[in-house]
Amino acid sequence: MKALKYRNVIFTIVLCLITSLCFPVPVSADTGENHAQELRIGVPADRCPVFYIDSNTNDVVGIGVDLMRYAAQKAGYTAAFIPIKESNLKDALDNSEYDLLMPFGSAIKSTAGTPSIVTDNLMETPFTLVTVGNRKPSDTEHLRVGMLSSQKGVAETFTQLYPGMTIQMYETMPECVNALRNDEVDALLHNSYVWSYILQKPSYSDLTQQPSNMFSMDFRAGAPDTPEGRILTERINSGIAELSDTQRMAVILDYTSRRLYHYDFADYLYMYSLSIVLSSLLFIALTIIAVQRIRAVRRKHEEKLRWLTEHDPLTGTLSLQGFRRRVTELLREHPDIPYLLAYTNITDFKYINEILGRSAGDDLLRFWAKETEATLSEYEAIARLDSDHLAVLRHIGGEEKIRYDDEAVIDSVRSYFTDRGKENRVQVCGGVYILTPEDYRLCDVDHMLDLARVAEQRVRSRKKDGYEFYNPDQWEKGKRSADIISRLSAAKETGEIQVWYQPQMDVSTGRIIGAEALCRWNHAKLGWISPAEFIPILEEAGLIFELDFYIWKKVCSDLQKWNRQGLHRTVSVNLSRSDITDERDISGCFCDLIKVYGITTDQLHIEITETAFAENPTLLISTTERLRNAGFSVEMDDFGSGYSSLHMLKEVPVDRIKLDLRFLTKTGDPEKSRIITSYMVQMVSSLGMIILAEGVESGEQAEFLKNKGCSEMQGYYFHKPMPVEDFEKLIHAEKEQAPKEGTK
Ligand code: C2E
Ligand code: CA
Ligand code: CA
């Protein structure tokens, strides 16, 4: 390293010596020949190291400048070098601002047509080729060569020397290099001194200068060919004549051995790109890791804070705040689970604290919470609200479960101290609130707690021990709902759920034209329960489709059986409004069923209640259309029960209207009911739809309807709904009768 440094210093000193020996300061200048004429010499400034601007002095310097200055001084001039503004020498020749212009290879004509005169040669400039890597141009005869467009003069000389080669001109050096790399040209041509500078650029390290000269160009100065021009060039020639080869070599060597190239930002980017990319990646990775760690720490901290505010430090159960959140969550996620909310309190807890000590009281609370918690599932929740008040959200799993929990937990709490050899028996008061559908919507946990607390206070003021319900009716209802909901799956298997048929008559012929399938449930625990009770409960719990589909399947299988017996019957099935949703393809369901059971579309009529149409007309109308397009008859059930019957008639595309007499005759004047019925029958018939009167209970009603033109009827007057065996007897009997009638 050190040796290299010394060598460089010695080299520089030798160079300076040679330069000072070669260029003794001209005597005239030294002797103060102040009146020497100043020559303004126009030169390009972008040909480092031949012509370029010194970044320190802002002067134009370079090999060409030094050689020309020497010749000018020898000729008795001082020289001022000005960067030419014009894009080429031909234009510059027409600018009288310059006395001389450089560099000329030979005389040329200016753009305006003025001929020029040139000086003698200042030096030979070798032109060399540059290629990518060590790729030697193969077909030297027909080489494609790229050049800068500012070197038009050189290009002309080159074409004369190498007529087989083609030249492509580019505005800038980066464009030239691009063309070379993209294989648009085989090599680039330029002055080899300039190459020595250009190729110092790090991103051009893939380029190689070919050793052999293509040719050399003269390097001269020139002026317009005028008398003054001639005198000038002649004088300059005398100066050039004094320039020795050694001097020339010294100047060339001086500039070509300097590191004139200054790295710009792009060069640094290129040189350090890998390190930059790697350090950027490292930086990004570190930032991501740091951000994630900060977030994780913050999250953990927040979780910890939340845990602290949502939990009771003594028992580890939820606090009131945590209970509010958890209950809301559970009610939103499980609207189908019937829940109760219990609020429990130890009577005279403060005396326990006083007599047995605080820690005994704390132990009791911890025991109580732990025992209760052990009976809860993940869908239930427990909290200690304050001192000795526990709240529990519990699934109403039937009476047995409550009793079990009560015995298992409360009894052990009651005997907590006696079990531990003390006399004190603990008394527990509880209030229970059964959640209503409204509570699932509003999720007002404090309100529910208040109601449970009201029941608890009733217990406290009277008995001091035990439980009471805030809403006992709701409790009974809730229990029945729970029994109904939890039994559905099993009931389908055991045959508790049956299909009964109620015949539909044509009174003009006296024949059974169809039947309505009605669901019956002989519940294992509750006995016979009415569809009016269990259907709304199953609708609320989102289970009605399960039941309806079971009924439809059973009806299809009965129809299949009758078909095989030669009885082609029609049955109307009920469709609950909750069966019809955007997600469910009801029409597809029925199509699949008839395919599976090998029955025909005319055998199934589908009843949809009128109020359903009023609730969601768009969806109901599209479902109806789809069912009818598939070939099924759609009936509007319970016509007359809603408020929008007349409007609905116009909008809804159904085949049959079921007019329910019970709605019409329920209240009011019988005469008015008759008038309304008669108009309704008339109106529906004139709209081209069939009308079936339902709920016909007397011969008088039947006669009246028949007279008004309604002959299809269903009701207790004809037949009550009956088990399938009874219905089968009826249709078989009718079949037996039919041929006899035919023979009459
Ligand atoms: P609905 O569709 O209007 O069925 C007719 C109801 O009227 C039946 O009550 C039937 O027993 C009763 N009924 C028939 N004729 C007379 C009569 O002359 N007088 C009186 N007072 N009542 C008569 P049911 O079977 O108790 O069904 C009640 C409701 O439950 C049905 O009303 C229907 O909306 C629904 N339902 C029944 N089975 C099913 C089913 O499988 N699926 C669905 N989604 N709903 C069903
Ligand atoms: Ca019906
Ligand atoms: Ca009905």
Side-chain angles (χ1 to χ4, degrees):
M1 214 36 210
K2 232 175 181 168
L4 198 76
K5 217 170 176 182
Y6 284 131
R7 237 176 41 207
N8 280 345
V9 172
I10 294 166
F11 179 74
T12 318
I13 295 170
V14 172
L15 248 166
C16 291
L17 269 171
I18 297 174
T19 320
S20 58
L21 282 173
C22 294
F23 295 96
V25 181
V27 182
S28 53
D30 221 53
T31 50
E33 209 180 333
N34 295 332
H35 307 297
Q37 189 191 341
E38 187 183 69
L39 284 183
R40 283 136 38 90
I41 306 171
V43 296
D46 57 354
R47 306 266 165 96
C48 191
V50 182
F51 297 113
Y52 66 96
I53 303 221
D54 184 319
S55 57
N56 295 325
T57 61
N58 244 356
D59 291 336
V60 186
V61 293
I63 300 170
V65 171
D66 279 12
L67 293 179
M68 188 61 203
R69 177 169 284 123
Y70 180 74
Q73 282 177 351
K74 281 288 176 199
Y77 294 107
T78 59
F81 291 87
I82 320 162
I84 53 173
K85 296 184 285 286
E86 293 76 7
S87 63
N88 55 59
L89 279 179
K90 285 185 171 185
D91 287 350
L93 261 177
D94 289 325
N95 186 349
S96 59
E97 226 179 275
Y98 316 113
D99 300 315
L100 271 178
L101 283 164
M102 291 181 79
F104 275 76
S106 55
I108 51 170
K109 264 194 183 157
S110 81
T111 311
T114 316
S116 63
I117 181 164
V118 294
T119 64
D120 290 343
N121 197 12
L122 275 152
M123 65 170 175
E124 287 290 320
T125 46
F127 274 75
T128 48
L129 290 177
V130 156
T131 55
V132 174
N134 269 332
R135 211 189 298 158
K136 285 227 160 49
S138 49
D139 185 6
T140 37
E141 288 280 291
H142 301 98
L143 215 57
R144 296 167 304 160
V145 176
M147 286 186 76
L148 283 175
S149 52
S150 58
Q151 296 214 297
K152 267 201 194 109
V154 180
E156 277 165 25
T157 313
F158 183 70
T159 337
Q160 283 160 17
L161 288 171
Y162 300 97
M165 297 194 188
T166 47
I167 293 183
Q168 192 70 43
M169 301 298 246
Y170 299 96
E171 282 306 312
T172 62
M173 187 48 78
E175 283 174 31
C176 286
V177 175
N178 257 350
L180 178 67
R181 285 181 180 151
N182 295 339
D183 214 24
E184 282 169 37
V185 292
D186 303 308
L188 301 178
L189 182 75
H190 209 310
N191 176 333
S192 80
Y193 303 142
V194 178
W195 279 139
S196 72
Y197 168 79
I198 289 174
L199 295 183
Q200 287 172 31
K201 190 173 174 66
S203 58
Y204 291 169
S205 58
D206 58 329
L207 308 185
T208 317
Q209 193 180 171
Q210 298 299 328
S212 50
N213 280 3
M214 291 304 284
F215 61 94
S216 285
M217 285 278 288
D218 288 351
F219 185 79
R220 303 165 190 260
D225 190 2
T226 55
E228 301 89 66
R230 281 189 199 169
I231 294 166
L232 181 59
T233 48
E234 217 149 282
R235 277 182 63 181
I236 292 293
N237 283 346
S238 66
I240 294 172
E242 288 189 37
L243 204 58
S244 73
D245 283 345
T246 328
Q247 287 167 328
R248 285 189 179 96
M249 281 310 297
V251 172
I252 291 167
L253 203 61
D254 177 14
Y255 281 96
T256 51
S257 62
R258 290 187 203 178
R259 268 211 82 81
L260 292 171
Y261 186 81
H262 294 292
Y263 291 147
D264 59 17
F265 181 66
D267 294 325
Y268 285 114
L269 264 188
Y270 176 85
M271 285 192 298
Y272 300 112
S273 57
L274 187 64
S275 329
I276 290 170
V277 169
L278 284 179
S279 39
S280 309
L281 283 177
L282 191 70
F283 178 75
I284 292 168
L286 286 175
T287 312
I288 291 173
I289 291 170
V291 168
Q292 274 179 345
R293 282 203 74 127
I294 291 169
R295 277 204 195 138
V297 168
R298 196 178 298 157
R299 210 179 307 127
K300 231 175 168 175
H301 182 71
E302 280 167 4
E303 268 165 23
K304 202 171 162 189
L305 264 183
R306 198 167 106 171
W307 198 93
L308 283 176
T309 51
E310 293 199 343
H311 286 80
D312 165 43
L314 178 71
T315 59
T317 60
L318 294 170
S319 64
L320 173 60
Q321 195 169 328
F323 191 65
R324 279 190 194 116
R325 188 182 60 77
R326 184 68 189 134
V327 170
T328 307
E329 223 169 66
L330 285 170
L331 298 189
R332 295 258 150 85
E333 282 168 17
H334 307 284
D336 51 327
I337 298 183
Y339 277 115
L340 62 80
L341 198 146
Y343 176 87
T344 348
N345 175 12
I346 293 175
T347 316
D348 300 332
F349 185 69
K350 61 174 185 292
Y351 298 116
I352 293 175
N353 273 343
E354 262 170 38
I355 298 163
L356 301 171
R358 259 198 103 79
S359 71
D362 285 353
D363 288 345
L364 171 64
L365 289 175
R366 267 194 292 264
F367 173 79
W368 182 19
K370 211 172 125 229
E371 291 291 298
T372 311
E373 204 164 16
T375 67
L376 300 182
S377 73
E378 57 179 310
Y379 304 115
E380 295 167 310
I382 175 173
R384 186 171 81 109
L385 306 181
D386 51 57
S387 66
D388 59 333
H389 302 143
L390 278 200
V392 180
L393 180 82
R394 229 185 236 292
H395 182 182
I396 307 176
E399 208 156 2
E400 295 79 14
K401 186 171 184 291
I402 299 277
R403 205 174 298 129
Y404 168 79
D405 291 347
D406 191 38
E407 279 164 16
V409 178
I410 304 299
D411 279 358
S412 60
V413 172
R414 284 185 181 114
S415 61
Y416 179 75
F417 291 117
T418 49
D419 289 348
R420 284 159 184 76
K422 294 192 181 102
E423 283 175 2
N424 316 63
R425 203 174 153 73
V426 180
Q427 289 190 311
V428 181
C429 304
V432 178
Y433 172 71
I434 310 299
L435 272 63
T436 63
E438 178 99 328
D439 295 317
Y440 288 79
R441 252 187 307 115
L442 301 178
C443 290
D444 187 345
V445 180
D446 290 275
H447 177 66
M448 295 181 238
L449 278 170
D450 282 345
L451 300 181
R453 207 176 278 132
V454 169
E456 182 267 337
Q457 272 158 4
R458 279 205 296 255
V459 178
R460 195 145 37 108
S461 60
R462 294 205 298 263
K463 310 176 270 187
K464 292 192 179 285
D465 191 62
Y467 269 90
E468 231 176 71
F469 287 98
Y470 173 81
N471 41 0
D473 314 343
Q474 203 73 36
W475 168 237
E476 285 306 322
K477 247 176 90 185
K479 265 192 321 179
R480 270 183 87 83
S481 299
D483 284 332
I484 288 169
I485 291 166
S486 59
R487 185 72 197 161
L488 177 64
S489 296
K492 288 191 303 182
E493 304 295 321
T494 58
E496 284 169 41
I497 295 177
Q498 302 166 10
V499 178
W500 284 28
Y501 291 95
Q502 185 178 32
Q504 294 172 337
M505 315 298 293
D506 183 340
V507 289
S508 60
T509 61
R511 301 182 78 88
I512 300 171
I513 47 163
E516 177 173 5
L518 293 159
C519 179
R520 293 291 177 266
W521 189 343
N522 187 5
H523 194 285
K525 183 177 160 200
L526 307 173
W528 284 103
I529 44 173
S530 155
E533 180 184 7
F534 66 78
I535 290 201
I537 291 172
L538 295 178
E539 278 179 341
E540 181 99 18
L543 293 169
I544 191 65
F545 184 72
E546 195 180 323
L547 174 81
D548 278 349
F549 194 70
Y550 173 78
I551 301 289
W552 305 339
K553 259 179 21 193
K554 179 71 177 61
V555 167
C556 290
S557 119
D558 286 344
L559 284 167
Q560 182 189 43
K561 183 170 89 184
W562 301 332
N563 279 356
R564 285 179 185 152
Q565 295 165 353
L567 291 165
H568 188 86
R569 307 300 319 194
T570 298
V571 171
S572 302
V573 293
N574 287 288
L575 193 63
S576 159
R577 73 198 65 193
S578 321
D579 290 331
I580 302 167
T581 64
D582 286 319
E583 293 76 35
R584 194 174 285 135
D585 176 15
I586 287 290
S587 163
C589 257
F590 281 109
C591 289
D592 290 347
L593 277 175
I594 61 158
K595 219 178 283 163
V596 169
Y597 288 94
I599 57 171
T600 50
T601 49
D602 63 297
Q603 293 189 273
L604 276 185
H605 287 189
I606 290 139
E607 294 189 11
I608 305 175
T609 185
E610 181 212 295
T611 43
F613 284 101
E615 279 165 13
N616 191 349
T618 332
L619 180 61
L620 264 288
I621 290 173
S622 67
T623 306
T624 306
E625 275 168 352
R626 248 178 278 137
L627 282 167
R628 294 184 77 219
N629 289 342
F632 300 102
S633 269
V634 178
E635 307 186 344
M636 188 189 280
D637 200 3
D638 304 334
F639 184 71
S641 65
Y643 298 102
S644 48
S645 311
L646 298 178
H647 171 69
M648 279 291 123
L649 266 192
K650 187 163 68 61
E651 301 294 326
V652 182
V654 293
D655 301 281
R656 192 158 72 162
I657 299 287
K658 289 188 82 178
L659 176 71
D660 198 318
L661 287 195
R662 285 169 298 165
F663 298 120
L664 293 170
T665 54
K666 205 162 44 186
T667 49
D669 185 342
E671 184 50 33
K672 277 187 186 159
S673 302
R674 268 200 291 276
I675 295 171
I676 295 173
T677 312
S678 120
Y679 274 112
M680 281 211 174
V681 171
Q682 218 179 319
M683 189 176 57
V684 174
S685 312
S686 16
L687 283 170
M689 285 179 272
I690 302 166
I691 186 159
L692 181 143
E694 197 181 6
V696 180
E697 290 180 336
S698 69
E700 197 191 320
Q701 282 177 329
E703 195 58 31
F704 173 79
L705 287 160
K706 191 182 161 195
N707 288 338
K708 292 296 165 197
C710 165
S711 58
E712 298 193 359
M713 296 182 208
Q714 175 187 341
Y716 290 175
Y717 173 66
F718 303 100
H719 297 282
K720 287 197 167 179
M722 58 189 79
V724 62
E725 301 79 23
D726 294 352
F727 181 66
E728 280 173 349
K729 274 183 208 150
L730 208 66
I731 52 176
H732 277 293
E734 198 188 61
K735 196 191 172 197
E736 302 281 287
Q737 217 173 342
K740 281 183 218 154
E741 275 175 12
T743 55
K744 264 188 203 169

